[in-house]
Amino acid sequence: MSHDHDDRPRLTEAQAEAALNPPPGRNGGDLVVESLQGLGATTVFGLPGQHALGMFDALRRSSLSYVGLRVENNAGFAADAYGRITGEVAPLLLSTGPGALTSLAALQEAAAASAPVLAISSQIPTAGLGGGRHGYLHELRDQKASFRDVVKSVHTVRTASQIPSAIAAAWESALTAPHGPVWIEIPQDVLLAETTLPPVSAMDATPRELYPRPELTLTAARLLSRAERPAIIAGGGVVRSDASGKLLALAEKLDAPVVTTFGGKGAFPWEHPLSLQSWLEDRHTTDFLESADVLLVIGSGLGELSSNYHTFSPRGRVIQIEADAGKLESNHPALGIHSDAREALADLLEAVETREDPAAAMRVRTLLEQVRARIEAQDLTLEQRVLASVREALPDTAPSFWDMTILAYWAWSAFDARHPNTMHSAQGAGGLGYAFPAALGAAAADPTRPVLAVSGDGGSMYSIAELATARQYDLPVTWLIVDDGGYGILREYMTGAFGEATATELARPDFVALAESFGVPAVRTSPDALAADLAKALAEPGPSVVVLPALLRMFAPTHL
């Protein structure tokens, strides 16, 4: 049996010399950073801790750029955004116990949004592994058990020679569709122990492609080609797999209207004649999608938000393309195709027949007019004006990151994300505090473009410490804080459900003075001045804060 060795990585003369005569003073931490470099990483996020010092010491002997945040959860959000923006693995270096556990909410968001985050945590010394209750600082009976339900895969390292292979396996797992966060833990003594292993050179951790089965593609193509009223729901999987161009080509070939989920914002051109935009929390849209005789769902599990709170009940055939096998038919019976969105769309595009439906664009226009009329009947001009001001101020290609706040809930439905992969929110897991640290991660990925973060006053307090990070690294992030004196959306929910709100009102700082105390320029604005103030802040280098005191309301729900 012969083997083809031609595609194996080769060492340069310098690497061969280093392998034969390893430089002195290296430890397990060096194997971590060398492995990351060998896999192509350039930037890492994190926060040091006692058990992890071997890793952090090794950073200074590496070419990796380090972005240190002030809270582990925020470091996780920054890595999440870096992964979303670049499509590359974002390494996240963490300590043990409390430091590691503090990242869990961010890793849940990365899992829900399919962001490739590689979390590498330290662990108590090897002697303490296995739940022996030795009383080490930060000791947990089974640290990885806390992560197993959240991440795609967990990996425990016990010796230095296991480090490169564990990191390569986790890297491949993070980048295999659906992308997602992975977890490695390495004991303190393994990180600190001097090593005579040669430096890690280039490593290959190429993820396997996830192709659709051909008989399913042919069946789907036949259903779509013969449909009378096809429609398409495009989810976050289209954005993650960079398949927006193929989606546009397929929709035009089929004359099929397209709605994007909130995670799929920007996957389809907003003003296209076939664009139903993103009005999923609207009964007119729900009715339109229910009336399709063939509904193609790409890269979405049709969860709570994408199904108008599970009131959506399709009457026609559903074809569901999804990289996460567990989401196939999880909410509706369908022709389930387990595939990366890009590969499935490429095959469908070849297999479907062109169909012409001159009435499709007219049906789309009618629907959007119905939606507009419903919103305009609710006296919500302030909210629409504020959102329009943000759109006016934000350059088309600038990324934006939205916290769980009323303006973001508006943006999910009503904001025109003019390019794919530019609008991101925490709607995957729904945790507070996402926007600002995520925006910092995006700015670290590409410091040439301004980045916008949008938070309420409640959510902003989760990540206020990261103003120090923004200043330290001089990252071009403008943070819009809409200050309504509390948890505004919870205030609305509770008042609607119980007649009054409890635990929603908040004391808060003078955000302008607070930002300035960090050395970050800040301005208090008004709805009239917002577009100009925001545009000015975005045009300036470095971080800035814009505070808008405003009480915004949500449009009426249609699922109740």
Side-chain angles (χ1 to χ4, degrees):
M1 185 176 172
S2 65
H3 292 279
D4 181 4
H5 292 268
D6 290 345
D7 58 352
R8 294 196 176 187
R10 300 269 185 257
L11 293 180
T12 65
E13 281 188 31
Q15 286 172 325
E17 177 60 32
L20 293 170
N21 300 287
R26 289 164 61 251
N27 59 23
D30 287 276
L31 294 172
V32 172
V33 297
E34 289 165 9
S35 299
L36 292 173
Q37 287 175 163
L39 289 162
T42 56
T43 304
V44 300
F45 299 88
L47 206 156
Q50 179 177 332
H51 292 128
L53 295 180
M55 267 194 304
F56 283 83
D57 177 60
L59 279 175
R60 67 186 168 89
R61 293 185 288 280
S62 80
S63 61
L64 294 170
S65 266
Y66 170 66
V67 181
L69 286 92
R70 301 305 191 267
V71 184
E72 287 86 354
N73 201 46
N74 294 337
F77 284 145
D80 165 304
Y82 185 96
R84 293 193 204 192
I85 287 284
T86 63
E88 299 165 7
V89 171
L92 171 65
L93 307 185
L94 300 167
S95 188
T96 321
L101 294 175
T102 301
S103 73
L104 271 170
L107 295 175
Q108 185 190 359
E109 177 58 40
S114 299
V117 175
L118 172 58
I120 305 176
S121 127
S122 58
Q123 179 52 299
I124 57 174
T126 313
L129 295 181
R133 312 299 288 276
H134 299 284
Y136 287 106
L137 181 72
H138 304 334
E139 182 177 331
L140 293 164
R141 281 172 297 177
D142 185 2
Q143 179 175 268
K144 67 179 179 293
S146 298
F147 293 84
R148 193 177 280 114
D149 183 48
V150 175
V151 299
K152 282 186 72 179
S153 59
V154 295
H155 311 257
T156 297
V157 166
R158 291 175 181 270
T159 65
S161 59
Q162 294 174 7
I163 289 173
S165 294
I167 291 177
W171 184 283
E172 183 176 338
S173 174
L175 278 187
T176 298
H179 293 177
V182 291
W183 175 262
I184 303 172
E185 57 178 17
I186 309 174
Q188 178 188 28
D189 51 328
V190 176
L191 289 171
L192 289 175
E194 192 163 336
T195 181
T196 55
L197 287 169
V200 182
S201 62
M203 288 201 294
D204 182 29
T206 308
R208 60 181 177 79
E209 299 289 353
L210 186 55
Y211 296 111
R213 298 211 319 269
E215 76 278 14
L216 297 177
T217 299
L218 282 175
T219 306
R222 179 173 292 178
L223 287 168
L224 288 164
S225 302
R226 296 177 180 179
E228 289 184 14
R229 288 169 64 96
I232 299 173
I233 299 177
V238 177
V239 178
R240 289 283 77 74
S241 66
D242 191 22
S244 305
K246 289 180 168 45
L247 170 66
L248 176 61
L250 182 70
E252 290 181 341
K253 191 169 182 181
L254 291 171
D255 252 346
V258 178
V259 67
T260 64
T261 69
F262 305 151
K265 295 287 288 187
F268 196 75
W270 189 256
E271 300 290 354
H272 192 282
L274 291 171
S275 174
L276 297 166
Q277 300 178 358
S278 307
W279 290 96
L280 286 170
E281 288 188 43
D282 179 275
R283 193 64 226 176
H284 297 302
T285 303
T286 307
D287 291 342
F288 187 101
L289 296 171
E290 285 181 352
S291 71
D293 61 335
V294 179
L295 182 68
L296 175 62
V297 183
I298 314 165
S300 170
L302 290 184
E304 186 175 42
L305 297 178
S306 303
S307 62
N308 202 359
Y309 298 91
H310 293 301
T311 60
F312 171 60
S313 182
R315 295 195 293 273
R317 285 292 301 270
V318 177
I319 302 163
Q320 185 186 13
I321 296 166
E322 176 54 60
D324 184 343
K327 290 182 181 175
L328 285 176
E329 298 190 79
S330 59
N331 284 305
H332 301 281
L335 175 69
I337 302 178
H338 184 213
S339 172
D340 181 60
R342 184 182 177 85
E343 305 299 341
L345 282 168
D347 287 4
L348 266 183
L349 197 50
E350 283 185 18
V352 297
E353 297 163 19
T354 302
R355 64 178 293 283
E356 292 183 7
D357 183 359
M362 189 175 70
R363 291 200 302 274
V364 168
R365 275 199 308 275
T366 302
L367 170 78
L368 293 177
E369 282 163 11
Q370 289 173 321
V371 173
R372 202 167 294 118
R374 186 177 81 81
I375 299 298
E376 284 173 0
Q378 295 177 46
D379 188 26
L380 296 164
T381 51
L382 171 65
E383 291 75 6
Q384 293 182 80
R385 187 155 54 106
V386 167
L387 197 61
S389 295
V390 175
R391 180 63 278 174
E392 182 187 334
L394 186 67
D396 284 3
T397 58
S400 61
F401 291 83
W402 304 70
D403 220 325
M404 300 297 284
T405 185
I406 286 178
L407 189 59
Y409 289 23
W410 269 92
W412 291 347
S413 291
F415 192 75
D416 172 8
R418 291 182 183 154
H419 286 269
N421 205 25
T422 55
M423 182 181 170
H424 304 273
S425 73
Q427 58 93 25
L432 276 175
Y434 173 78
F436 188 55
L440 298 177
D446 181 2
T448 66
R449 291 187 296 183
V451 184
L452 174 68
V454 180
S455 299
D457 57 293
S460 71
M461 293 302 290
Y462 278 62
S463 39
I464 206 82
E466 305 310 338
L467 282 167
T469 305
R471 183 72 284 164
Q472 180 170 344
Y473 297 98
D474 200 33
L475 295 168
V477 174
T478 294
W479 193 6
L480 172 62
I481 299 173
V482 182
D483 183 0
D484 66 4
Y487 298 121
I489 194 70
L490 300 180
R491 182 192 286 140
E492 278 210 13
Y493 288 164
M494 289 192 82
T495 305
F498 311 114
E500 59 182 295
T502 306
T504 58
E505 305 315 296
L506 299 173
R508 66 264 189 220
D510 177 339
F511 286 109
V512 172
L514 183 60
E516 287 172 344
S517 76
F518 283 93
V520 174
V523 62
R524 187 172 284 99
T525 191
S526 66
D528 290 336
L530 176 60
D533 285 341
L534 206 51
K536 185 178 178 209
L538 285 160
E540 297 286 335
S544 56
V545 170
V546 176
V547 181
L548 173 67
L551 184 62
L552 305 180
R553 293 183 302 132
M554 273 309 293
F555 49 82
T558 64
H559 64 278
L560 299 175

